[in-house]
Amino acid sequence: MSESTTLTDAGLLPEDLLPDVSLLVTEDDEPLDNLPSEKQQRLLTETLYSSWNGASNAQGFLVAANVGLFTTGKQPPIVPDVFLSLDVQIAENWWEKKHRSYFFWEFGKPPEVVIEIVSNREGNETGRKLLEYARMRIMYYIIFDPSRQLGGEVLQMYELRGRHYIATSEQWLTEVELGLCLWEGAYEGKRDVWLRWCDGEGNVIPTGAERAEQEREAKETALQRAERLAAQLRALGIEPEV
């Protein structure tokens, strides 16, 4: 959090001290940079809303893609590909400008997780963005570099320690009760290596379509088991109850 914006004990600034957002550029209408990034972003956001109940003792969560993070009203935002914030809720009147972006003074806290998806060397993910996210006090910073544009690992994980990020091989994000893993498979008909949320056992959090398929397969398995049992009872001369 910038020193020019201090949150109160209640988590929000008094109304008369809130920055004037009327002149801030909260959206620029620029298109997404490429198809793989768009689909990857959607995979990371849709799965949580479809199949995750949130962290224990957390009152709601917000996961979003390409939404600006504003620490103060005097600095331009930084726009991660995906972020996750716990214990926050979107305002009912979300079309009002003061609710359309992630203003720290409105939500009262930074997100816990930011994710950058690397498609070229222009984003400065291991330089300026790493420093900016640390300054914002974001707990976990994740870099997904599927084509190794940065020359390092495909998945790079950072955890905030004090005022700086420390690289870690731990893929379980303890404070949000989620993990991140690389998963090879097909998503919406496109086979690739994807970045996925996962649980403590390493199982990916399913998309809505995957969960529906899992439920269908479970019902089909249960039906087949019931049919086999019925056939065994009939072989013994016992008519099963319907």
Side-chain angles (χ1 to χ4, degrees):
M1 184 68 66
S2 169
E3 294 179 357
S4 61
T5 301
T6 304
L7 297 177
T8 65
D9 290 339
L12 299 175
L13 287 168
E15 190 70 28
D16 58 345
L17 295 180
L18 292 175
D20 180 7
V21 303
S22 62
L23 299 179
L24 294 179
V25 178
T26 57
E27 52 270 320
D28 56 18
D29 295 324
E30 290 186 0
L32 290 168
D33 53 355
N34 59 71
L35 291 172
S37 292
E38 185 277 334
K39 196 175 287 288
Q40 175 65 81
Q41 291 163 8
R42 193 150 39 83
L43 176 59
L44 289 168
T45 55
E46 188 267 335
T47 51
L48 294 191
Y49 284 122
S50 294
S51 305
W52 191 53
N53 294 324
S56 58
N57 301 319
Q59 300 298 311
F61 68 90
L62 169 61
V63 57
N66 278 332
V67 173
L69 304 180
F70 289 81
T71 57
T72 76
K74 297 180 180 179
Q75 296 176 330
I78 187 168
V79 185
D81 287 310
V82 176
F83 72 78
L84 169 64
S85 186
L86 304 179
D87 286 312
V88 296
Q89 294 182 343
I90 299 175
E92 286 292 328
N93 52 345
W94 66 345
W95 281 109
E96 283 192 32
K97 190 164 186 177
K98 67 178 182 179
H99 298 311
R100 291 209 302 253
S101 292
Y102 196 100
F103 299 113
F104 281 37
W105 56 90
E106 289 288 338
F107 285 96
K109 58 181 286 293
E112 277 76 15
V113 183
V114 293
I115 300 173
E116 291 289 352
I117 302 164
V118 180
S119 56
N120 54 51
R121 301 179 65 87
E122 304 301 317
N124 204 8
E125 286 83 4
T126 56
R128 179 185 63 84
K129 285 186 177 178
L130 186 143
L131 296 175
E132 284 290 306
Y133 290 137
R135 182 183 64 82
M136 292 178 178
R137 302 294 186 268
I138 293 172
M139 192 175 303
Y140 301 106
Y141 175 35
I142 315 301
I143 300 174
F144 178 48
D145 185 11
S147 56
R148 295 180 183 269
Q149 293 284 330
L150 305 180
E153 297 296 325
V154 170
L155 182 58
Q156 300 176 43
M157 314 276 290
Y158 296 90
E159 184 175 355
L160 191 67
R161 303 285 178 82
R163 298 172 61 87
H164 304 283
Y165 281 122
I166 301 297
T168 176
S169 60
E170 178 58 58
Q171 296 183 2
W172 179 250
L173 311 181
T174 303
E175 296 302 320
V176 297
E177 299 176 14
L178 277 171
L180 281 162
C181 62
L182 299 178
W183 175 82
E184 184 174 359
Y187 172 57
E188 294 183 346
K190 183 62 178 177
R191 179 166 292 276
D192 208 333
V193 175
W194 303 94
L195 181 63
R196 298 286 301 261
W197 300 106
C198 59
D199 62 21
E201 285 72 49
N203 303 308
V204 296
I205 306 297
T207 65
E210 289 170 338
R211 190 175 66 172
E213 178 62 18
Q214 290 171 1
E215 292 172 352
R216 186 194 66 79
E217 291 177 353
K219 288 180 180 179
E220 185 175 298
T221 299
L223 179 59
Q224 292 172 351
R225 185 180 298 114
E227 290 174 346
R228 287 196 299 269
L229 178 59
Q232 291 170 357
L233 290 173
R234 290 190 181 100
L236 296 173
I238 303 172
E239 186 61 29
E241 295 182 1
V242 178

